[in-house]
């Protein structure tokens, strides 16, 4: 039996720039103090206690997410983080590890030959050698590298002649670009041709986001395949907001599921997972009517895309901490137009402030027991299969 957790992370603190901390609404000088503090054991314990105790969100992002990074990934190598993850699962379980490139989140390219992402990716592939079939790395691609660099990276790691161990592609538009960025067109073409799975962040108000100055190009959204659906959505969202609107507002606009219509209309067989089902808040708000009805509800939009396009999926990662949202997933699994396209994932280690993966998974499948095999084996086996990886 295969058992797949299709959404995990093992990056450590050296992979994260100060800008990651400023996402939590701390000024730059405070971010530097925090970064210094987490490297001192006694200060780290105090900081961790404070972060876990915060009962509210700051700027729409829970500080507990940063607590997860502090708790799991300070002063540890990525193989140690991976060992913490797999200790929660049976020996045959396999894990999609999504690498994260934060190097462009301020809008500035990495300086010199060193960048955090190349180091992170190298270390993940070393962990892959140690754990072989249990670890399935996804390559992060950011169009701000430029089209040529994106394609070089893509063809190097997905080389038919040399198996480099990479199983898919990771995207994260809220870090400062639209999914239809012109530099992504040939990436999507290659991915569709070889059925390489792509997992992209699609969680309203969740995760990291761009922390630099927005450029005119970001505001005017040039697309390699403009469609009325995406244009209408962006016009409706961008028109009311002045340039000084918060970065989180623009991050949500950039990664809304409708921004993938341009992509999917040109590449309708693209294997794409819109992760997190839009987020638990959107899952619970999808059926709201009356004055609070939102025609751009993320979960409702994701379902529409799943029904329309052959290979559009979603996963339950991070939202599985919300029991009420899990009850809604149970209803969705009874829908035959959706149930073969929903994947199990946890978003480790972002979930650790809530509970261990073992506990969260057990509680999730207390509710979804009739569909466990489909979520952890059948659906991911189809999603992950490509010319470069055979589950």
């Amino acid at each position: 039996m295969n058992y797949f957790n299709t959404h995990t992370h093992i990056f450590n603190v050296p992979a994260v720039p100060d800008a990651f901390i400023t996402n939590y609404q701390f000024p730059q000088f405070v971010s530097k103090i925090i970064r210094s503090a987490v490297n001192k054991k006694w200060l780290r314990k105090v900081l961790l206690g404070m972060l876990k105790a915060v009962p509210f969100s700051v700027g729409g992002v829970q500080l507990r997410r940063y607590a997860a990074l502090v708790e799991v990934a300070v002063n540890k190598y990525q193989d140690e983080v991976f060992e913490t993850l797999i200790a929660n699962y049976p020996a045959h379980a396999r894990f999609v590890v999504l690498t994260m490139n934060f190097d462009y989140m301020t809008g500035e390219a990495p300086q010199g030959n060193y960048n955090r992402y190349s180091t992170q990716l190298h270390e993940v592939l070393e962990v892959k050698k140690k754990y072989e079939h249990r670890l399935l790395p996804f390559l992060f691609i950011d169009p701000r590298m430029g089209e040529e660099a994106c394609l070089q990276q893509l063809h190097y790691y997905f080389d038919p002649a040399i198996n480099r161990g990479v199983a898919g592609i990771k995207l994260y538009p809220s870090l400062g670009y639209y999914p239809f960025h012109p530099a992504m067109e040939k990436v999507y073409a290659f991915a569709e041709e070889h059925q390489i799975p792509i997992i992209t962040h699609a969680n309203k108000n969740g995760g990291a986001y761009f922390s630099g100055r927005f450029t005119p190009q970001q505001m005017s959204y040039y697309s390699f395949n403009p469609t009325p659906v995406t244009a209408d959505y962006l016009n409706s969202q961008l028109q009311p907001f002045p340039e000084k609107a918060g970065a989180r507002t623009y991050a949500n606009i950039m990664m809304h599921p409708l921004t993938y219509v341009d992509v999917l209309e040109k590449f309708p067989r693209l294997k794409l997972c819109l992760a997190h089902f839009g987020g638990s808040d959107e899952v619970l708000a999808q059926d709201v009517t009356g004055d609070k009805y939102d025609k751009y509800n993320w979960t409702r939009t994701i379902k529409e895309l799943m029904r329309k396009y052959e290979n559009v999926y979603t996963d339950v990662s991070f939202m599985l901490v919300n029991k009420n949202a899990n009850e809604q997933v149970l209803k969705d699994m009874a829908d035959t137009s959706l149930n073969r396209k929903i994947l199990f994932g946890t978003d480790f280690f972002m979930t650790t402030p809530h509970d261990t993966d073992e506990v969260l998974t057990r509680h999730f499948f207390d509710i979804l027991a009739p569909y466990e095999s489909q979520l952890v084996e059948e659906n991911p086996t189809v999603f992950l299969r490509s010319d470069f990886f055979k589950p």
Side-chain angles (χ1 to χ4, degrees):
M1 172 186 174
N2 278 321
Y3 184 114
F4 291 102
N5 181 333
T6 56
H7 195 125
T8 71
H9 302 282
I10 64 170
F11 63 86
N12 53 9
V13 169
V16 176
D18 290 341
F20 185 87
I21 308 174
T22 62
N23 271 184
Y24 295 83
Q25 308 303 301
F26 293 116
Q28 192 106 25
F29 76 93
V30 175
S31 300
K32 292 183 183 297
I33 293 171
I34 291 174
R35 191 177 187 92
S36 176
V38 299
N39 289 315
K40 296 177 175 61
K41 190 173 182 179
W42 70 273
L43 280 175
R44 183 163 69 247
K45 287 184 177 180
V46 173
L47 178 64
L48 192 58
M50 292 171 60
L51 291 174
K52 283 186 169 183
V54 174
F56 54 85
S57 294
V58 177
V61 181
Q62 288 191 346
L63 288 173
R64 289 184 175 186
R65 282 177 175 265
Y66 188 65
L69 178 67
V70 173
E71 186 170 29
V72 175
V74 171
N75 294 336
K76 291 182 180 178
Y77 293 107
Q78 290 187 86
D79 61 343
E80 296 175 277
V81 181
F82 189 66
E83 286 165 5
T84 302
L85 167 62
I86 65 178
N88 293 277
Y89 292 87
H92 65 280
R94 307 170 80 176
F95 305 87
V96 169
V97 170
L98 303 171
T99 59
M100 292 292 298
N101 186 347
F102 298 107
D103 291 336
Y104 293 85
M105 72 181 296
T106 63
E108 299 176 4
Q111 300 299 310
N113 293 325
Y114 172 78
N115 63 66
R116 287 183 171 88
Y117 180 64
S118 62
T119 302
Q120 177 196 158
L121 179 60
H122 171 76
E123 291 177 358
V124 168
L125 294 176
E126 288 300 304
V127 182
K128 165 75 174 177
K129 292 177 183 177
K130 182 176 179 181
Y131 291 96
E132 298 181 351
H133 68 283
R134 298 203 70 187
L135 194 160
L136 308 175
F138 270 41
L139 173 72
F140 195 106
I141 291 184
D142 190 313
R144 291 166 294 182
M145 297 164 53
E147 182 182 76
E148 183 177 352
C150 287
L151 293 176
Q152 285 178 349
Q153 192 177 62
L154 186 70
H155 291 135
Y156 177 81
Y157 287 104
F158 294 98
D159 183 346
I162 304 173
N163 182 359
R164 302 193 189 277
V166 175
I169 295 168
K170 170 64 173 173
L171 303 179
Y172 212 105
S174 57
L175 288 176
Y177 62 91
Y178 290 103
F180 47 67
H181 191 294
M184 291 297 297
E185 183 174 8
K186 291 181 181 178
V187 173
Y188 293 131
F190 184 85
E192 184 184 55
E193 178 186 358
H194 296 284
Q195 286 296 278
I196 299 168
I198 298 174
I199 293 179
T200 186
H201 185 73
N203 184 358
K204 186 178 183 181
N205 293 328
Y209 56 92
F210 183 71
S211 62
R213 286 184 174 274
F214 280 87
T215 66
Q217 182 175 4
Q218 286 172 315
M219 297 296 294
S220 52
Y221 58 89
Y222 300 112
S223 173
F224 64 74
N225 182 46
T227 66
V229 172
T230 298
D232 288 349
Y233 164 72
L234 290 172
N235 286 333
S236 72
Q237 299 301 297
L238 290 172
Q239 290 293 337
F241 295 108
E243 275 192 47
K244 63 181 180 181
R248 169 59 71 190
T249 297
Y250 287 116
N252 283 338
I253 293 170
M254 285 179 158
M255 66 170 166
H256 192 284
L258 276 178
T259 59
Y260 288 90
V261 172
D262 285 7
V263 177
L264 292 164
E265 282 298 294
K266 182 146 193 179
F267 304 106
R269 293 184 59 252
L270 189 71
K271 200 176 276 186
L272 176 70
C273 174
L274 296 159
H276 311 295
F277 225 149
S280 57
D281 288 346
E282 293 294 280
V283 167
L284 296 173
Q286 63 182 298
D287 295 327
V288 171
T289 58
D291 293 341
K292 294 184 178 180
Y293 176 79
D294 176 12
K295 71 174 181 177
Y296 293 128
N297 176 274
W298 290 45
T299 303
R300 193 184 309 114
T301 301
I302 289 172
K303 288 182 178 182
E304 290 170 1
L305 297 177
M306 290 168 69
R307 291 185 176 109
K308 182 174 181 180
Y309 298 100
E310 179 182 357
N311 292 326
V312 173
Y313 289 71
T314 193
D315 70 36
V316 298
S317 58
F318 196 78
M319 59 165 282
L320 86 173
V321 303
N322 188 314
K323 181 180 178 181
N324 292 330
N326 295 340
E327 296 282 1
Q328 178 61 50
V329 175
L330 179 64
K331 297 177 184 176
D332 292 328
M333 289 301 294
D335 185 336
T336 56
S337 69
L338 299 172
N339 61 16
R340 67 180 182 86
K341 296 181 168 189
I342 300 175
L343 309 170
F344 171 71
T346 58
D347 206 15
F348 178 89
F349 48 82
M350 295 302 174
T351 47
T352 53
H354 298 270
D355 225 321
T356 65
D357 262 35
E358 181 180 15
V359 172
L360 289 172
T361 299
R362 184 172 70 248
H363 289 170
F364 178 75
F365 285 117
D366 282 346
I367 297 171
L368 276 295
Y371 302 104
E372 181 171 5
S373 178
Q374 189 168 9
L375 288 161
V376 304
E377 180 180 17
E378 296 166 27
N379 293 353
T381 296
V382 176
F383 175 71
L384 294 169
R385 187 178 300 278
S386 71
D387 290 348
F388 299 94
F389 176 71
K390 305 293 188 293

